[in-house]
Amino acid sequence: MRVIILVVSLILIGCKDSSIKKNDEKKDNEGILNIEGHTFFKVTETDSGKVLFKPCGASIEKYKFYNDTLYHNWGQEYDLIKKISFIENKGIYIFKGYNFNTKKNEVIQIKKNNVEEYYLEINNQIFIDSLFINKIILTKEPCNDNDEETSNIPEENINFEKDIVSAKSWSNDCKLDESYVYFSVVGGQFVFRQRFSINTKIKKIGNNEFHILFDNSYMKRPYPDDMENYQDFSAIEPIAKMKKNGNEIEFIWYGFYNTKSKKRIHLENPFTKRVEKESIILTKCDD
């Protein structure tokens, strides 16, 4: 009888320990922020309630969380941030990472919404999970057709961006002096040293193939005399085409398309200074 009582007691103690362990695990898991693979759109608060507001010539600000990277689309520009650490401190999640665009370390604070689980507070601003955007009204600022066409870099290009973001720039000749030309995929900037620089957008057209579009919303001085009215140049017609091929980029230059004259200018490939119909090869530079 004593043996039986001892065995039953041990079983009961084991069950109790198991129950305590499961409860502890459940309690621990309640604090986990499961946002990997989720996209969060910025919410604008108005007198009539929360809305998603899309301005002209830009997309709605959003974050997308990958396993090792954070994609932050500001609306007209975007950042790729390589995760360094992700920790929880008193209900606030601290994302630390390296921003390939600003070339600086960055800290982003994330907090769960205590009322509605599909909202997050990111750097003290409210964002909603894309899985629940049907719960909120989308409001668009009245735009013309051209504004809609030039909204921003599609999120579908992010895998391409992540693949080649390790290089600060790409060129056919990485001599790193004051005369060489380079293309920075992050930010989409073309730099014609001692000449001018432009911002661009990237549009996916096929498997590892992309068109490069001129961002005619802004152009930094100085710029060429024949592009003084830079807004006359198309933001829809591509200025170049590139294809990712292993550790290289196949690049073809088209030039800038003037929507008024219906002609292209600057037909010379900026890397070779020659008019070429064939592609050239760009490689990673270490500057």
Side-chain angles (χ1 to χ4, degrees), residues 101-140:
N101 193 16
T102 64
K103 310 298 187 296
K104 296 179 179 179
N105 289 333
E106 194 165 322
V107 177
I108 297 171
Q109 294 189 355
I110 305 167
K111 185 179 179 181
K112 288 182 178 180
N113 188 283
N114 295 326
V115 180
E116 294 155 310
E117 63 179 8
Y118 40 83
Y119 287 117
L120 279 184
E121 291 182 26
I122 305 178
N123 286 345
N124 297 318
Q125 294 183 316
I126 299 176
F127 288 76
I128 187 171
D129 194 322
S130 63
L131 298 175
F132 301 95
I133 56 175
N134 61 332
K135 295 180 177 291
I136 192 169
I137 297 174
L138 173 63
T139 302
K140 294 183 178 181

Side-chain angles (χ1 to χ4, degrees), residues 11-59:
I11 292 174
L12 291 175
I13 292 172
C15 291
K16 184 178 180 180
D17 289 343
S18 177
S19 177
I20 293 173
K21 184 177 180 181
K22 288 181 179 179
N23 287 334
D24 288 342
E25 288 177 352
K26 182 179 180 181
K27 184 177 180 181
D28 290 340
N29 289 334
E30 286 176 352
I32 295 175
L33 193 63
N34 295 316
I35 56 176
E36 183 178 330
H38 288 236
T39 300
F40 291 84
F41 289 89
K42 184 180 178 181
V43 173
T44 300
E45 297 197 65
T46 67
D47 292 339
S48 57
K50 295 182 176 68
V51 301
L52 292 175
F53 178 74
K54 184 188 180 305
C56 290
S59 57

Side-chain angles (χ1 to χ4, degrees), residues 121-184:
E121 291 182 26
I122 305 178
N123 286 345
N124 297 318
Q125 294 183 316
I126 299 176
F127 288 76
I128 187 171
D129 194 322
S130 63
L131 298 175
F132 301 95
I133 56 175
N134 61 332
K135 295 180 177 291
I136 192 169
I137 297 174
L138 173 63
T139 302
K140 294 183 178 181
E141 184 179 3
C143 306
N144 58 44
D145 293 338
N146 188 55
D147 285 332
E148 290 297 319
E149 288 290 337
T150 61
S151 60
N152 208 330
I153 299 171
E155 185 180 325
E156 65 184 351
N157 300 338
I158 189 64
N159 289 332
F160 173 76
E161 309 291 348
K162 287 174 62 179
D163 188 30
I164 63 176
V165 76
S166 58
K168 294 181 181 180
S169 60
W170 294 74
S171 183
N172 66 324
D173 184 4
C174 300
K175 54 190 175 185
L176 309 183
D177 63 17
E178 290 302 313
S179 65
Y180 92 114
V181 176
Y182 68 87
F183 175 58
S184 173

